[in-house]
Amino acid sequence: MASLILSPAEQDYIIRGVESGFRADGRGSLDRREVSLRTGMISQANGSARCRIGNLGVGTDVLVGVKAEVNSWTPGEPEDLGSIVCNVECSPSAAQEFEGRGAEEINVELTQLLDRILNGPQSGLDLKKLCIIPKQAYWVLHIDALVLDVKGSIVDTLVWAIRAALMSTSLPRVVVETISDEMGNMQAEFDVVDDPEDLTPLEGAKNLPISVTFSQIGKRYVVDASEQEEAVTQAKLTVAVSPAMEICAIQKGGMFRGFPPSLLAEILETAQRIAREELTRFDVHYAQAKLHLSSQADEPSTGSTFLVQF
């Protein structure tokens, strides 16, 4: 996904360094860059978060908003399940390849990957909890992600931001009543309580998986490739791992070739080990983000997401 063009000397420097266990920015092969995470970035959303992996100006920056709405059941849909609808949009200003039709292809690829991770039992979310009345009404969670800047590791940044946004999501309380119609038949009706203080946290959000993206450079692989490293990447693989250390999804990146079978088993085992560390790191960042949000509660609102310090 990198549009950066490197000279042969620069490419050789990066490849030889990775093969020798060194990276240009000083990280180890399996180290992630610094992460910045904030929640409550969009006041009109049911949940929102912004995540940046890497330093300001040289990192990947993603903003996510979650909007919940009630949908009427139609025949052919699951009778007692809610649903999640993902949409990823890459800002044309984020990278050159996001201009024109290139953005459409990348948006579809990222949307499909997130849909595979989040829709189904592997996501950890109990979609039955999103059902209001079976065969009548259910909640739909619209997850809209905007990629503001790209400097490597776009999928992992998206997953971090979406996980934080869903963990901060609260739904209005729904009152369900059973009443009798004119014919004496009993039927269920519901009412959504319009009270911003009467909200219910989204159940199961803590069970959402985390993703780890591996990039093959030369004969070895690295985690969280930078923009320069992605320019010489030969193969890319994203592995989503749940808090129970179960592999939820695997995706080969874009037009890259696949990993050789000799490395695949090692990568899956490494992904589980890294995911355990990443989940602990995420919890620390999320707790700091919630603390920061509560400390900002008494400050006057600017009404603009991008005026918030990040």
Side-chain angles (χ1 to χ4, degrees):
M1 191 174 292
S3 58
L4 188 66
I5 299 177
L6 302 179
S7 68
E10 290 173 315
Q11 295 180 27
D12 185 65
Y13 173 77
I14 293 173
I15 293 172
R16 288 178 179 272
V18 169
E19 290 180 337
S20 302
F22 300 100
R23 300 172 75 172
D25 55 11
R27 289 181 291 152
S29 298
L30 304 181
D31 293 340
R32 188 177 294 286
R33 288 170 291 177
E34 183 62 34
V35 178
S36 299
L37 185 66
R38 290 288 183 268
T39 58
M41 303 295 291
I42 307 175
S43 59
Q44 297 86 356
N46 294 88
S48 62
R50 186 174 178 181
C51 180
R52 184 179 67 241
I53 293 183
N55 295 323
L56 182 63
V58 291
T60 297
D61 195 353
V62 173
L63 176 67
V64 173
V66 180
K67 193 68 177 176
E69 67 174 19
V70 177
N71 213 32
S72 298
W73 180 83
T74 57
E77 294 179 334
E79 298 180 358
D80 59 349
L81 298 178
S83 69
I84 297 175
V85 178
C86 298
N87 179 61
V88 178
E89 183 174 340
C90 297
S91 172
S93 63
Q96 183 178 354
E97 64 264 35
F98 293 162
E99 299 178 0
R101 293 187 58 85
E104 297 178 11
E105 297 175 0
I106 296 171
N107 292 346
V108 170
E109 177 188 342
L110 294 173
T111 298
Q112 290 177 343
L113 171 59
L114 294 175
D115 186 69
R116 227 177 3 257
I117 293 175
L118 297 173
N119 263 309
Q122 75 281 355
S123 71
L125 290 174
D126 188 356
L127 296 182
K128 288 188 176 182
K129 298 292 185 181
L130 297 178
C131 178
I132 299 173
I133 301 176
K135 301 179 70 173
Q136 186 171 332
Y138 59 90
W139 286 108
V140 178
L141 300 182
H142 293 275
I143 302 175
D144 294 296
L146 176 62
V147 179
L148 302 171
D149 198 5
V150 177
K151 296 294 188 292
S153 200
I154 186 172
V155 175
D156 293 353
T157 312
L158 278 166
V159 172
W160 267 70
I162 289 174
R163 199 171 193 271
L166 287 172
M167 286 180 62
S168 66
T169 295
S170 295
L171 302 178
R173 186 168 63 90
V174 178
V175 178
V176 179
E177 297 178 336
T178 302
I179 62 174
S180 176
D181 60 17
E182 297 177 354
M183 303 298 294
N185 298 319
M186 304 300 293
Q187 60 180 12
E189 290 191 354
F190 68 93
D191 183 41
V192 179
V193 178
D194 188 14
D195 183 355
E197 301 297 327
D198 195 358
L199 301 174
T200 303
L202 180 64
E203 294 188 38
K206 292 183 178 180
N207 299 324
L208 287 164
I210 201 86
S211 70
V212 184
T213 299
F214 297 87
S215 300
Q216 183 182 359
I217 300 175
K219 298 178 182 180
R220 295 303 301 166
Y221 56 82
V222 298
V223 169
D224 182 25
S226 65
E227 184 181 26
Q228 291 79 10
E229 290 170 339
E230 285 199 343
V232 296
T233 292
Q234 301 160 304
K236 183 185 291 186
L237 190 72
T238 297
V239 183
V241 184
S242 73
M245 294 301 107
E246 297 176 347
I247 295 176
C248 304
I250 301 175
Q251 169 101 353
K252 181 176 76 70
M255 301 300 292
F256 296 102
R257 63 176 175 81
F259 272 86
S262 59
L263 280 178
L264 192 56
E266 178 186 339
I267 284 175
L268 295 181
E269 182 180 346
T270 304
Q272 291 174 307
R273 186 176 72 253
I274 294 176
R276 184 176 288 106
E277 301 170 358
E278 286 279 286
L279 287 166
T280 301
R281 187 180 183 185
F282 176 92
D283 290 341
V284 172
H285 281 280
Y286 183 75
Q288 292 174 347
K290 297 296 288 184
L291 183 62
H292 180 272
L293 181 63
S294 62
S295 68
Q296 300 294 316
D298 297 331
E299 295 187 6
S301 174
T302 62
S304 174
T305 296
F306 300 100
L307 293 180
V308 179
Q309 184 179 1
F310 182 69

